[in-house]
Amino acid sequence: MIRAAAQKLIIDELGYSRRQRSLVVSGCRQSAACVQHPQRGTAASGNAPPIFDTSIEYVPEDLLIGEVAFVLKATDLDGDTLSYSISGADAFYFNVNQSTGVVTLRNLLDRESQARLTLTVTVSDGINDATSRKLTVIVEDRNDNAPVFKGLPYETSVPENMMAGSIIYTISATDADTGNAAKVSYSILEVIPDNAKNFWLFYILPNGSVVLNGSLDYATNTFYQLKILAQDGGGPLYGVTVFQNSTTYFSITVIDLPNLNPRFLNEPYSGSVSENSPLGVSVLTVTATDRDTGVNDEIFYSITNASVPFAINMTTGIITVSGWLDREQLPSEEMLLEVLAREKNLDIHGSVANATTMVTILVVDVNDNKPEFYQCSLPSCNFTKSQNNFTGSIIEHSSSKVPVSNLSIVARDPDKGINSTFELYLQGGSASAFSVSPTTIVGTGEVQILVQNPSEVDYEISHVMVVQLIANDTGNPANCCSVATVTVNLIDTNDHFPEFPQSVYVLSVMENSPAGTIIAPNITAYDPDSGAYGQITYQLLPDTILTTFTVNATSGAVLVSPGASLDRETRSIYYANIQAKDGGDMMNTALLEIYVLDENDNAPIVTGSYFISVEEGQNVSMEVKAIDNDEPNTPNSELGFRILPGLFSDNFTINETTGQMHSKGPLDREALDDKDGQLVVTVEVYDHGVPPLSTQVNVTITVADINDNTPVFLEQSYEFSIFESSSDSFVGTVVATDADKTEINFRISFRLQSGSGSSNFLIRSHQLGTGNYSGQLSVDPDTTMDYDTLQQKSFYLTVVAENTATDIARNASVPVVVHVLDVNDEPPSIVPTSQTVTVRENGTQQGLVYTVSASDPDTNHSLVIEELQVTCLNGSQSAGNVCWDWFVLLPNGSLLVNSSEIDFEQCDMVKLTLRAEDLYTEKGDRYSKNGTLTINIEDINDNAPVFLPISETFVVVPDVSTVGLQVATVRATDEDSGSGGEIAFSIFKVVFMEENGNNRTLENLFKVVTTVEQKIYVGSIQVASNLDSSLKGKYEVTVNAQDRTAPQNTAQTVLTIFTVDQSYRIRLQFSVPVEEVQRNLEDIKATLTIATKATVYVVAISNPDNSRAARAQVKSVMDAYFVYSNGTALDINQLSQLIQSDSQVLLKLVDMGLAIIGSGEVTETNKETQLIGIIAGLAAFLVLFILIMTLVLVLTTRSYKRKLNAMKALKAATTLSPTVAQQGAGIPGTNQYNAEGANPMLNLPMDLSHDLGFHEDTSSLASINSLDENKVDSPKDNNPKAKPHKSHPMDPTEDKVLVAALDAKEPTKMAYINNTFSTTDL
């Protein structure tokens, strides 16, 4: 638009120039004499001056110095030789050939700086006066400017769920050229990171808007940087079409949003806790984290299982015991909890983000239960109710170990493992007759009461026997035992029982005897009882013996039972009771000892295994051992030994009786074809029974190899390379072999020989084949190979291959070199982290002002400095974004001044948050920690002091104004800092404005003292010399404010100080001495101030100096002024009126001795006469008031006339607003105002809206506002005799007031006129 306006202006001027030229030409056509028109000067007689042919020229801005810009052409009708010249401010750019008029370029042009030049061109023919005119030179545009980006830096933050197609940011660049060269197009050159993958993630519109073309994911990338190209539309430059472009970077920060569920760490979770643990005991801690790392929402935990004795801390995830834990009452000792972790805030879908995990808690058993007894049988017990009383029965005199019948006792301890172990024993009077089986139970077991002493089990002694069954948990002393009472009922028998002749019968039977074999033909007993009680029947006890032996119930013959299998080697003796039972069921028993006789039915058994190892070259000596389970010391168990024929049978001998075996000579390992070096000899062991039985055994002899070979490496040396900090610790492999035959001798182990750097590596051996081993060299996982911190970049190691099969180790070694290769894995750093530079304000510094330094310890790096944030500060407060475009930080760290509008007063410090990026980073963080570049803006003195507005009026009373008295103040500020913001005040000029209009300049009357109050400079205007109290008028004081730094700036203000002259000096006479007046001075001044509302300036207190005062008993006088803040003062009459109008003030002043105000008659001033005078005055006032009231009643008719006058006054007054009328300032030194209606006595505006002439309150209203005597004409009458200051403008509301006044029948209030106090200004 600016260029278009400039072009339009040039075209208009050109048109004007052409119109002027056409007028001249037209005039010339009318008259030949016009050629000699005097506009070019006086022509020589008969010779015409030359005329320029053009008034405008066009010059390209890319014109080079010395090239022709244009040619000045002028026409001379006489053909005279012409001489050309140029002048003017813009002639700086050109040179002109005086004779040819060819204008060449002297200094380069720049259309963007100055698009139009104005030259004064002059041509002379050497005869006439030189002809001059203005020549406009238009500088034509060329494409010499690249687009300039606005509003740098470009950076924004976007949420990761931004929709594709959304506009992220709008880039703006402008080109100072015109036409196509000013049209800017945009493109994206590069996207960082991963340009190949992310290049199409964004695109840019023609208007510079960057648009999202895909989806963002904070978990994938948190930051993008776009390289933006701005290119113009091209244009001519130096004769060819060129395209200018600029690039910048646009930073996009992806904002993480809550769209992922939390995740538990370190799964699975398991823990244990002892039962009976107190409430609140910690079991374990679960931890979950928000996978939205940029959000990192708070996680809350809960247990979803119902009714579990555990609780979880909502915020810490600590699982604690919340209920009583009794392992025995739990369904399972392993409890499975489901723990829910949820995020505090809803995710972007409005749902609760959560995750669950399973926690296994093992409740560990504590020995807290004692064993209990239950009446049941395993395995059908339900253990619901324990039992303490049991009853059984047994036949009297039952044999030892016979259990009490009809007892079903189960003992149980619900604890686990060793905690459930308990012992059983009996107590009580009958305890010696019985025993308990078993004596120890782990967990649960059936309990039997067995007969221990049959003789005590006697029905005739006791029918019932009682024992206490004790279950004792020795591991739980506090709650150890349970006691059950077992009642045993004895079963009675006959008084006589059968008796065997002997108590023990020793019998024998051959093993393997068939069923029915008679062992003893008859074993009989005798019973003295007769009849049925004497009839004896026999049976074998216990019942379990019946499977092997049986007895004839009548004869007592003992036989082998059907199906019995007698094996002496399994059981060689049987014990049984043969019971004789009479008809009365009386019984007796005898013990049967039945021996099973041996038969040669067992082959020898070789004991042990025979695997012998010997070193080659040694003899073998060993013994083969065997046993025979047949009866010892019989041929059936007598053994013999022999070697069976075989491959190696000829190499060994064996003693046939002892089994001692020997080799016939030394053994040779290398002679054996077996890969393990083994040989096998078969030995047969036989007995001497009939028929003989035998067993064979293999004797395996392993010939041990002798370590007589040294390991050999396959290579003479090894060399490997690794990358620093690689996740793969593997370095390389070395290989060695050993020629020995056995693994113990050919096994090779590798180690690193102690030396420089060997502690950084480990080597492990792996077998590749027989005698072939590899050593895998790796970096110690506890060692970090950091190329940047390593002192040595290569390690020279020695690997040793060891064979330690013998005391003398056979070793070999090989040199190994490991080279550490650098990886770009170190982040760059801003060095130092905080950097500072100072730049002067107002563009006094341009271009490069500082270079940010950064470093990277990697050998291969490419650093780019990025600007992350710009902070504008003014003092310690933020200055907004005022400084954002002041500086440009280039990727190479160069800081350029980008603005001439740097202003210290707006922002005195710019903080750039920076970071360095290593573009070649391969691993780790590519960015440095953030650094800070502090740009301190240096203030220059570019602001003048500024005076603050003055609202008060300054008044000086010369009589009381001593030297040094402050009479006025000024205040000023300066936005500059330091000495440039310090202000010094001075008096520039003092002019006294007299009332008659005369002015005169005075010197040395005032001085100014400068102080500082909270950064505001205060100038105290003080009296410098005595002031003339006779002068009437005001002082105009011009005050200078100047700062202290070059170039110094100055400001001025003019103060008006009103002076109060001697005519307002009032003398107060007192009837008390000077000392008393001085003592009461403050009370006197306070009382006078209450009455007058004015400031009291006391000039002097002295003794009276005339005899008249002495006669009136005047003892002291006080000279004073009564001055208001607007410069007005009271005279004697006004002061008297005010004092007399307030009786309280008057009484107080009289009480303090006031006698006379000003000059007047002196009266007796004792208190009695004073009181009489006051009473008389009040009485006179009352009489006067009654007279006035009577007069008002008589003159009622005059009120109507006054109302009519009020209407007329209203008509005139409506032309002037009362707010305007009452705003005039007082005329200093007088009691007059430049507008009527103000009351200087109270310094308050008067309300004239109710002033209709019949309720005046003061004499001033009577004299000015009375509508009886004063006529107010409308301004349109233009009466020259009218006094403008007498007009009384009224408020618009007076219409309503006037109507109300006209409707009234009589006035509401009478006025009292005091002719002695009637100044026109009150």
Side-chain angles (χ1 to χ4, degrees):
M1 292 178 64
I2 296 174
R3 175 162 178 88
Q7 290 176 339
K8 184 175 185 301
L9 177 61
I10 294 169
I11 292 170
D12 290 346
E13 290 186 355
L14 180 59
Y16 175 80
S17 175
R18 290 172 177 170
R19 287 196 299 271
Q20 294 299 320
R21 183 184 299 175
S22 66
L23 290 175
V24 174
V25 174
S26 176
C28 290
R29 288 176 180 174
Q30 295 176 4
S31 172
C34 70
V35 177
Q36 302 173 354
H37 197 276
Q39 65 177 357
R40 296 189 301 163
T42 304
S45 176
N47 191 287
I51 302 173
F52 277 108
D53 294 340
T54 182
S55 62
I56 188 168
E57 294 288 350
Y58 294 87
V59 179
E61 68 171 325
D62 61 347
L63 192 68
L64 299 178
I65 294 176
E67 291 186 341
V68 176
F70 54 90
V71 178
L72 295 178
K73 293 182 179 180
T75 302
D76 190 288
L77 298 178
D78 303 309
D80 298 327
T81 299
L82 302 180
S83 175
Y84 299 93
S85 65
I86 59 175
S87 61
D90 296 335
F92 165 80
Y93 293 99
F94 303 100
N95 288 322
V96 63
N97 188 303
Q98 294 183 358
S99 58
T100 64
V102 175
V103 179
T104 58
L105 193 67
R106 186 173 74 179
N107 290 293
L108 292 177
L109 301 173
D110 185 6
R111 186 200 65 83
E112 287 72 34
S113 298
Q114 191 170 0
R116 185 180 68 174
L117 308 174
T118 301
L119 304 176
T120 301
V121 295
T122 304
V123 63
S124 174
D125 59 3
I127 301 172
N128 298 286
D129 293 340
T131 300
S132 299
R133 69 166 303 161
K134 298 293 185 182
L135 175 65
T136 299
V137 179
I138 304 302
V139 181
E140 294 181 324
D141 187 39
R142 292 293 183 268
N143 190 13
D144 60 341
N145 289 281
V148 176
F149 288 98
K150 302 297 182 183
L152 291 173
Y154 295 139
E155 53 189 9
T156 188
S157 298
V158 296
E160 62 175 325
N161 67 341
M162 175 175 276
M163 300 294 293
S166 301
I167 294 176
I168 297 176
Y169 198 86
T170 299
I171 306 297
S172 176
T174 59
D175 195 309
D177 296 317
T178 60
N180 286 335
K183 297 178 180 178
V184 180
S185 62
Y186 305 91
S187 61
I188 298 176
L189 296 181
E190 183 184 6
V191 177
I192 301 172
D194 199 354
N195 185 63
K197 178 181 178 182
N198 296 322
F199 184 79
W200 300 109
L201 188 58
F202 308 92
Y203 64 88
I204 189 167
L205 299 177
N207 65 352
S209 295
V210 179
V211 181
L212 180 63
N213 195 35
S215 59
L216 301 175
D217 186 358
Y218 181 88
T220 303
N221 281 313
T222 63
F223 179 81
Y224 295 93
Q225 191 174 59
L226 280 59
K227 187 175 183 179
I228 306 296
L229 172 72
Q231 180 171 293
D232 61 23
L237 182 65
Y238 303 119
V240 296
T241 301
V242 298
F243 296 87
Q244 303 276 9
N245 62 71
S246 299
T247 60
T248 188
Y249 285 91
F250 171 35
S251 299
I252 303 172
T253 300
V254 180
I255 302 173
D256 194 14
L257 295 177
N259 61 344
L260 297 175
N261 287 330
R263 175 177 58 198
F264 281 95
L265 305 179
N266 304 321
E267 291 184 295
Y269 292 101
S270 62
S272 62
V273 63
S274 298
E275 65 172 330
N276 305 331
S277 293
L279 301 184
V281 169
S282 297
V283 181
L284 78 160
T285 301
V286 298
T287 303
T289 183
D290 188 355
R291 289 193 291 162
D292 299 306
T293 57
V295 177
N296 197 20
D297 200 359
E298 187 176 356
I299 303 295
F300 294 134
Y301 303 91
S302 61
I303 297 175
T304 60
N305 305 56
S307 303
V308 293
F310 297 97
I312 188 169
N313 187 284
M314 184 178 183
T315 56
T316 64
I318 299 175
I319 297 177
T320 57
V321 176
S322 65
W324 184 251
L325 286 178
D326 188 351
R327 188 195 65 84
E328 291 74 29
Q329 300 299 322
L330 295 175
S332 171
E333 65 182 4
E334 278 193 352
M335 301 199 67
L336 200 61
L337 307 182
E338 183 180 51
V339 176
L340 173 71
R342 65 175 180 86
E343 296 179 8
K344 179 179 180 181
N345 300 300
L346 299 180
D347 61 15
I348 59 174
H349 307 296
S351 303
V352 176
N354 60 71
T356 60
T357 188
M358 302 307 294
V359 178
T360 302
I361 299 178
L362 175 66
V363 181
V364 180
D365 183 54
V366 174
N367 192 358
D368 57 345
N369 291 279
K370 66 180 181 180
E372 299 281 357
F373 297 104
Y374 300 88
Q375 186 166 357
C376 60
S377 297
L378 293 177
S380 60
C381 292
N382 56 15
F383 304 110
T384 56
K385 185 177 181 181
S386 60
Q387 186 81 20
N388 295 324
N389 293 286
F390 298 91
T391 302
S393 61
I394 193 168
I395 299 172
E396 64 174 333
H397 304 299
S398 292
S399 300
S400 176
K401 307 299 183 181
V402 174
V404 175
S405 59
N406 299 325
L407 278 180
S408 297
I409 303 176
V410 174
R412 177 176 181 264
D413 188 327
D415 291 322
K416 182 180 179 182
I418 193 172
N419 292 335
S420 64
T421 302
F422 57 94
E423 61 182 19
L424 297 169
Y425 56 89
L426 299 177
Q427 288 182 349
S430 301
S432 60
F434 300 95
S435 64
V436 62
S437 177
T439 58
T440 302
I441 293 178
V442 178
T444 304
E446 291 186 341
V447 181
Q448 287 184 320
I449 305 299
L450 306 178
V451 175
Q452 179 173 282
N453 191 348
S455 61
E456 296 183 14
V457 184
D458 190 349
Y459 181 84
E460 283 69 28
I461 297 175
S462 175
H463 301 332
V464 177
M465 304 182 75
V466 178
V467 295
Q468 277 74 44
L469 178 60
I470 310 298
N472 181 18
D473 186 347
T474 58
N476 186 10
N479 187 20
C480 64
C481 305
S482 292
V483 179
T485 300
V486 179
T487 302
V488 181
N489 296 317
L490 301 184
I491 300 174
D492 191 18
T493 60
N494 294 329
D495 292 336
H496 298 88
F497 50 84
E499 293 184 2
F500 288 97
Q502 57 190 63
S503 60
V504 178
Y505 292 88
V506 178
L507 307 176
S508 64
V509 63
M510 186 65 70
E511 65 176 330
N512 302 320
S513 294
T517 299
I518 298 175
I519 301 172
N522 58 353
I523 298 177
T524 58
Y526 170 74
D527 190 331
D529 293 327
S530 59
Y533 291 109
Q535 296 179 359
I536 300 173
T537 59
Y538 301 94
Q539 75 176 76
L540 293 180
L541 297 175
D543 294 341
T544 55
I545 199 66
L546 297 179
T547 59
T548 305
F549 302 104
T550 184
V551 64
N552 187 289
T554 305
S555 65
V558 179
L559 306 98
V560 177
S561 296
S565 177
L566 295 176
D567 185 3
R568 191 201 66 80
E569 289 73 29
T570 302
R571 188 170 182 179
S572 62
I573 185 170
Y574 290 87
Y575 294 95
N577 289 323
I578 183 168
Q579 177 181 281
K581 182 178 180 181
D582 61 16
D585 293 333
M586 294 187 66
M587 296 169 290
N588 199 354
T589 60
L591 178 63
L592 300 181
E593 293 182 3
I594 305 174
Y595 291 92
V596 180
L597 302 179
D598 185 44
E599 184 180 64
N600 192 20
D601 58 350
N602 290 282
I605 299 173
V606 178
T607 60
S609 58
Y610 297 91
F611 296 91
I612 302 170
S613 296
V614 295
E615 291 184 355
E616 59 179 321
Q618 295 182 357
N619 291 320
V620 174
S621 177
M622 59 160 292
E623 179 183 359
V624 177
K625 294 182 179 181
I627 62 172
D628 193 312
N629 288 327
D630 289 323
E631 187 171 1
N633 302 319
T634 66
N636 293 340
S637 60
E638 183 181 353
L639 301 179
F641 301 88
R642 58 175 170 259
I643 296 175
L644 297 180
L647 184 62
F648 302 104
S649 60
D650 294 337
N651 298 97
F652 297 91
T653 62
I654 191 169
N655 186 299
E656 65 177 7
T657 304
T658 64
Q660 286 288 336
M661 180 177 172
H662 303 278
S663 62
K664 294 180 180 180
L667 301 180
D668 186 4
R669 167 67 179 85
E670 284 70 26
L672 297 176
D673 294 333
D674 185 79
K675 65 178 181 177
D676 296 325
Q678 291 182 346
L679 59 90
V680 178
V681 178
T682 303
V683 175
E684 182 181 55
V685 182
Y686 58 89
D687 62 22
H688 293 81
V690 179
L693 301 175
S694 65
T695 301
Q696 295 179 2
V697 62
N698 289 331
V699 178
T700 302
I701 301 172
T702 301
V703 181
D705 188 31
I706 296 176
N707 185 18
D708 53 357
N709 291 281
T710 301
V712 177
F713 282 97
L714 298 186
E715 302 288 343
Q716 293 184 353
S717 64
Y718 294 89
E719 188 170 359
F720 306 111
S721 296
I722 61 171
F723 287 101
E724 67 164 336
S725 304
S726 173
S727 60
D728 183 10
S729 62
F730 177 72
V731 176
T733 302
V734 299
V735 179
T737 62
D738 192 302
D740 290 322
K741 295 293 184 179
T742 58
E743 181 178 2
I744 191 171
N745 289 330
F746 66 63
R747 183 170 59 233
I748 299 173
S749 61
F750 296 91
R751 65 177 174 86
L752 290 173
Q753 185 170 302
S754 226
S756 175
S758 62
S759 61
N760 296 319
F761 299 91
L762 300 175
I763 190 165
R764 292 181 174 85
S765 301
H766 296 276
Q767 185 175 2
L768 302 177
T770 302
N772 190 9
Y773 283 80
S774 67
Q776 293 188 354
L777 185 64
S778 62
V779 179
D780 190 333
D782 294 331
T783 299
T784 301
M785 288 293 180
D786 189 347
Y787 182 89
D788 308 292
T789 58
L790 286 176
Q791 297 296 324
Q792 59 186 81
K793 312 303 182 183
S794 297
F795 295 89
Y796 297 90
L797 310 175
T798 299
V799 176
V800 178
E802 293 182 326
N803 186 321
T804 57
T806 61
D807 293 338
I808 301 175
R810 297 181 179 271
N811 301 335
S813 63
V814 68
V816 176
V817 179
V818 180
H819 302 287
V820 180
L821 304 181
D822 188 21
V823 174
N824 192 332
D825 60 347
E826 295 293 334
S829 58
I830 302 291
V831 181
T833 305
S834 297
Q835 303 181 27
T836 304
V837 64
T838 301
V839 177
R840 294 189 300 275
E841 67 171 336
N842 293 347
T844 53
Q845 284 179 265
Q846 293 293 328
L848 179 66
V849 294
Y850 187 76
T851 300
V852 178
S853 59
S855 66
D856 192 309
D858 292 313
T859 56
N860 182 28
H861 62 263
S862 177
L863 301 185
V864 172
I865 306 301
E866 299 176 356
E867 177 183 290
L868 301 179
Q869 183 179 6
V870 181
T871 304
C872 310
L873 299 173
N874 194 345
S876 60
Q877 302 297 319
S878 173
N881 58 2
V882 66
C883 69
W884 283 8
D885 60 346
W886 287 2
F887 302 94
V888 172
L889 181 66
L890 300 182
N892 64 357
S894 297
L895 180 70
L896 305 180
V897 174
N898 190 44
S899 173
S900 60
E901 299 177 356
I902 299 176
D903 191 351
F904 173 86
E905 285 70 33
Q906 293 184 3
C907 170
D908 58 9
M909 180 184 294
V910 180
K911 285 194 175 181
L912 303 183
T913 301
L914 315 172
R915 71 176 178 187
E917 178 186 4
D918 187 355
L919 300 179
Y920 292 167
T921 297
E922 301 172 56
K923 179 182 178 183
D925 193 355
R926 67 190 305 118
Y927 298 104
S928 70
K929 293 182 179 179
N930 291 348
T932 302
L933 174 58
T934 301
I935 307 173
N936 293 317
I937 307 302
E938 182 178 345
D939 188 23
I940 64 174
N941 190 15
D942 60 341
N943 291 280
V946 177
F947 282 94
L948 300 182
I950 300 173
S951 59
E952 59 264 54
T953 301
F954 302 116
V955 182
V956 62
V957 180
D959 275 353
V960 295
S961 298
T962 59
V963 174
L965 177 69
Q966 176 180 303
V967 295
T969 57
V970 292
R971 287 176 171 80
T973 60
D974 193 321
E975 292 183 352
D976 293 318
S977 63
S979 58
E982 296 177 0
I983 299 175
F985 295 99
S986 61
I987 303 297
F988 177 75
K989 181 173 61 174
V990 177
V991 176
F992 187 78
M993 314 283 291
E994 296 182 355
E995 287 184 352
N996 56 14
N998 295 330
N999 299 335
R1000 53 175 168 163
T1001 301
L1002 303 175
E1003 293 181 355
N1004 301 324
L1005 284 185
F1006 300 98
K1007 64 180 179 180
V1008 61
V1009 176
T1010 304
T1011 57
V1012 183
E1013 296 177 0
Q1014 297 180 349
K1015 297 184 179 181
I1016 297 176
Y1017 285 80
V1018 180
S1020 174
I1021 312 302
Q1022 300 178 359
V1023 176
S1025 62
N1026 293 328
L1027 303 178
D1028 188 353
S1029 61
S1030 64
L1031 296 178
K1032 295 184 179 183
K1034 59 184 178 182
Y1035 295 95
E1036 295 286 343
V1037 180
T1038 303
V1039 180
N1040 267 5
Q1042 187 178 57
D1043 53 31
R1044 298 182 182 273
T1045 300
Q1048 291 181 309
N1049 299 303
T1050 303
Q1052 288 186 346
T1053 188
V1054 178
L1055 300 179
T1056 300
I1057 303 177
F1058 298 100
T1059 181
V1060 180
D1061 60 271
Q1062 288 182 341
S1063 63
Y1064 292 95
R1065 181 167 176 168
I1066 300 174
R1067 171 163 292 187
L1068 303 178
Q1069 301 183 33
F1070 290 82
S1071 60
V1072 294
V1074 171
E1075 293 76 15
E1076 186 174 345
V1077 173
Q1078 291 175 339
R1079 188 167 55 252
N1080 298 329
L1081 180 61
E1082 293 304 318
D1083 291 338
I1084 295 171
K1085 289 171 63 177
T1087 304
L1088 291 172
T1089 299
I1090 292 173
T1092 62
K1093 305 298 187 296
T1095 302
V1096 180
Y1097 294 91
V1098 176
V1099 179
I1101 301 174
S1102 59
N1103 293 315
D1105 55 359
N1106 57 72
S1107 58
R1108 182 177 180 184
R1111 290 196 302 270
Q1113 298 183 356
V1114 173
K1115 298 182 179 178
S1116 59
V1117 294
M1118 181 175 70
D1119 294 332
Y1121 291 87
F1122 297 83
V1123 182
Y1124 291 99
S1125 60
N1126 59 5
T1128 60
L1130 296 177
D1131 59 14
I1132 296 175
N1133 293 331
Q1134 295 167 347
L1135 177 62
S1136 300
Q1137 178 63 29
L1138 289 174
I1139 293 176
Q1140 292 178 16
S1141 65
D1142 191 336
S1143 58
Q1144 295 294 328
V1145 170
L1146 179 59
L1147 285 174
K1148 190 171 182 180
L1149 290 173
V1150 171
D1151 188 62
M1152 288 185 289
L1154 179 62
I1156 301 172
I1157 301 176
S1159 59
E1161 292 296 331
V1162 179
T1163 59
E1164 295 293 329
T1165 59
N1166 56 65
K1167 293 184 178 179
E1168 292 79 2
T1169 57
Q1170 290 175 1
L1171 184 58
I1172 293 172
I1174 291 170
I1175 295 173
L1178 291 175
F1181 178 81
L1182 180 60
V1183 172
L1184 183 59
F1185 178 79
I1186 294 172
L1187 291 176
I1188 292 173
M1189 290 292 291
T1190 303
L1191 181 61
V1192 169
L1193 292 175
V1194 174
L1195 300 177
T1196 302
T1197 55
R1198 297 190 63 184
S1199 64
Y1200 292 98
K1201 181 179 178 181
R1202 292 162 62 193
K1203 293 173 185 178
L1204 293 176
N1205 289 336
M1207 287 294 291
K1208 188 174 181 180
L1210 175 62
K1211 182 177 181 182
T1214 53
T1215 62
L1216 182 63
S1217 171
T1219 58
V1220 175
Q1222 295 178 13
Q1223 289 175 356
I1227 299 175
T1230 70
N1231 287 332
Q1232 296 183 352
Y1233 278 74
N1234 55 13
E1236 292 294 330
N1239 183 358
M1241 187 65 66
L1242 300 179
N1243 197 24
L1244 296 171
M1246 284 185 167
D1247 186 359
L1248 302 180
S1249 61
H1250 298 168
D1251 184 12
L1252 298 180
F1254 48 81
H1255 61 293
E1256 295 88 336
D1257 292 331
T1258 65
S1259 61
S1260 63
L1261 293 177
S1263 62
I1264 296 175
N1265 300 327
S1266 174
L1267 299 181
D1268 292 334
E1269 302 298 335
N1270 296 289
K1271 300 290 184 69
V1272 180
D1273 297 325
S1274 173
K1276 69 180 181 179
D1277 294 341
N1278 196 20
N1279 185 359
K1281 296 181 180 180
K1283 295 182 180 179
H1285 66 277
K1286 295 296 184 177
S1287 63
H1288 297 277
M1290 298 185 181
D1291 189 89
T1293 58
E1294 288 181 321
D1295 292 342
K1296 297 179 181 180
V1297 177
L1298 181 61
V1299 172
L1302 293 174
D1303 290 339
K1305 298 302 182 180
E1306 56 184 18
T1308 60
K1309 190 173 183 181
M1310 297 302 297
Y1312 171 73
I1313 301 175
N1314 185 353
N1315 293 326
T1316 64
F1317 191 44
S1318 59
T1319 59
T1320 59
D1321 52 59
L1322 295 178

